[in-house]
Amino acid sequence: MNNVWLTVAAILVLFMQGGFILLEAGSTRMKNAGHIAGKTIFTVGIASLVFWAVGYGFIYGDGNAIIGLSNFFFGDFTSFDAEGTTGAVDFFFQLTFAAIALTIAFGGFAERGKLAAYVLFAVLFSALVYPIVAHWIWSEQGWLSELGKQDFAGSTVVHLTGAMAALAATILLKPRLGRFNKDGSPNEIYGHNQVFTALGVLILWVGWFGFNAGSTGGVADGFFGYVALNTQLAAGAGAIAAFFIVYAVTGKSDVPTMLNGALAGLVAITASCAFVAPWAAVIIGIIGGLIVFFSMKMFDKARIDDPIFALSVHGVAGVWGTISTGFFATPELADMNGGSAGLFYGGGFSQLGVQVISVAACGAFAFIASYVILLGIKAVLGGLRVTEEEEIMGLDISEHGSYGYPESMQEQLDKKKTGA
């Protein structure tokens, strides 16, 4: 039964890619929608082959504290772990996580990155950056695992790692045309479909139960239900907190901010969902919803163009979620899941310290490694970004030769030609 549960959970996580298609396409302009949709499917393909060839081995193979060095080109159909889970089922589950991290990283390329640059980066990120961070935390041999790092379903491994890669790409690519004025003041570049964005968030929300509840690895004790409860509470609290803060500050209940609040709550609870009480899940979600609003403003002031808010949702909320475990982990749940209690339950600063160290180490590694890889790709391709003409035209036509919305885009072109 555990194998069935993990397979269902993996399918839920895989289906989150559909949520990302709608979320990212809806949050950006119509002329790039086809590119985002096609690229996301392509991402799953790249992540699958690279993870099969080397990624899984670098994470879970026998090696050292830094990297695994066996189990490449995975094809095991005989092994079982102590809970009866087959190696192939565990491989499939882990593969879907790697694909999500890569999709998050794509946020840094949105609306101006060359497709060729993204493809090369996707291969190297899936082969090296993500597996090394995952090995440090989720392999028994990893150095952060040895320290007692708690990251139940990937606030650091998946979300912070993907966001740091997106940050490196965002910095190197620079802002989209017209995003900032010469004096540094921002101009809003609105997405083209809030209904798509909202539906994308809902699909991600549902898929997150595969992410978090699936990470229990089994159904015998019913603990997956408790993890799902915490996940739901944090997501709801994040959406409500973001709604109130944006209304209090701007006087308008901005829809994208509210949606990002729900996602921030989900990202934040991902590390701690198996370690905390429900009341703490609500607090973690509320803080996630609040900090995502302020971090969006912070990146604007820093002139960092984050079209789909990957840095705020997955990066800042990922940091908070990881650290929150060091505050709120209860002794009973920490003991049950192989960890230590947090500061508020008499655990002192030791677990909190480990969580902070892990955020700093993994965040720095993911950013620096991604930055160096992108600099290499930039040298090989002669640049990471499409030309100004191609950016104005849109990536649908410049990179793929056809629009995601051919009728609507042709209508706009005709109006420009005729001046109507």
Side-chain angles (χ1 to χ4, degrees):
M1 195 61 192
N2 289 349
N3 289 296
V4 174
W5 166 233
L6 262 189
T7 302
V8 170
I11 291 170
L12 279 172
V13 177
L14 184 61
F15 189 56
M16 289 171 71
Q17 297 289 349
F20 276 114
I21 288 175
L22 291 172
L23 168 65
E24 295 181 13
S27 300
T28 52
R29 288 166 290 185
M30 185 182 287
K31 61 186 179 182
N32 299 307
H35 169 73
I36 287 172
K39 178 278 313 169
T40 304
I41 299 301
F42 193 62
T43 291
V44 177
I46 291 176
S48 298
L49 295 182
V50 175
F51 194 77
W52 163 72
V54 297
Y56 188 81
F58 283 150
I59 298 174
Y60 294 109
D62 291 330
N64 51 50
I66 304 301
I67 194 168
L69 295 169
S70 66
N71 288 349
F72 301 123
F73 299 96
F74 186 87
D76 179 17
F77 59 90
T78 60
S79 67
F80 294 82
D81 65 15
E83 286 74 37
T85 304
T86 69
V89 168
D90 180 64
F91 170 85
F92 178 41
F93 187 60
Q94 299 296 334
L95 185 156
T96 58
F97 280 50
I100 292 293
L102 179 55
T103 301
I104 294 168
F106 172 74
F109 293 77
E111 297 206 290
R112 71 263 202 223
K114 287 182 179 177
L115 180 61
Y118 173 72
V119 170
L120 291 174
F121 179 75
V123 171
L124 295 171
F125 177 87
S126 299
L128 296 172
V129 182
Y130 175 82
I132 288 176
V133 173
H135 178 80
W136 290 357
I137 296 174
W138 283 343
S139 166
E140 292 181 355
Q141 296 179 321
W143 70 276
L144 286 170
S145 176
E146 289 287 333
L147 287 179
K149 155 81 173 182
Q150 295 173 175
D151 187 5
F152 193 71
S155 285
T156 301
V157 176
V158 177
H159 297 280
L160 181 60
T161 301
M164 288 299 98
L167 176 61
T170 301
I171 291 173
L172 285 171
L173 282 161
K174 304 187 185 312
R176 291 167 291 175
L177 294 174
R179 181 66 175 87
F180 295 102
N181 300 311
K182 289 184 178 178
D183 63 359
S185 58
N187 296 311
E188 293 295 338
I189 299 179
Y190 294 103
H192 83 278
N193 194 322
Q194 288 189 353
V195 176
F196 278 13
T197 306
L199 182 56
V201 169
L202 181 61
I203 291 173
L204 288 169
W205 189 328
V206 172
W208 229 284
F209 294 111
F211 225 83
N212 289 1
S215 292
T216 58
V219 297
D221 58 3
F223 185 63
F224 69 91
Y226 182 84
V227 172
L229 168 65
N230 279 344
T231 302
Q232 181 73 7
L233 291 175
I240 292 170
F243 168 82
F244 278 112
I245 190 64
V246 71
Y247 190 83
V249 174
T250 69
K252 297 291 183 183
S253 52
D254 179 61
V255 172
T257 301
M258 186 171 54
L259 298 174
N260 287 333
L263 292 176
L266 287 162
V267 170
I269 199 62
T270 297
S272 57
C273 51
F275 294 97
V276 302
W279 69 266
V282 173
I283 299 297
I284 291 168
I286 288 173
I287 295 176
L290 296 177
I291 61 175
V292 79
F293 169 75
F294 291 109
S295 68
M296 289 160 61
K297 300 295 182 186
M298 177 189 73
F299 286 120
D300 263 1
K301 286 187 177 179
R303 301 189 66 181
I304 294 175
D305 186 16
D306 183 14
I308 59 172
F309 309 108
L311 309 181
S312 298
V313 170
H314 301 281
V316 176
V319 169
W320 160 239
T322 301
I323 294 175
S324 72
T325 311
F327 288 111
F328 295 103
T330 73
E332 296 81 6
L333 290 168
D335 183 61
M336 176 179 169
N337 292 289
S340 300
L343 178 67
F344 297 154
Y345 285 89
F349 287 94
S350 59
Q351 187 61 48
L352 182 61
V354 171
Q355 300 301 106
V356 172
I357 290 171
S358 72
V359 164
C362 296
F365 169 76
F367 176 78
I368 294 170
S370 299
Y371 197 90
V372 171
I373 288 171
L374 286 167
L375 282 179
I377 293 172
K378 182 180 180 180
V380 170
L381 296 180
L384 298 172
R385 183 166 177 156
V386 296
T387 65
E388 287 191 7
E389 182 182 10
E390 290 170 332
E391 185 175 339
I392 293 168
M393 188 188 306
L395 300 186
D396 280 10
I397 199 72
S398 68
E399 295 287 73
H400 306 281
S402 61
Y403 284 116
Y405 295 94
E407 293 180 354
S408 298
M409 293 307 299
Q410 189 59 49
E411 185 179 335
Q412 290 186 23
L413 291 173
D414 291 342
K415 284 181 179 178
K416 286 182 180 177
K417 288 179 181 176
T418 60

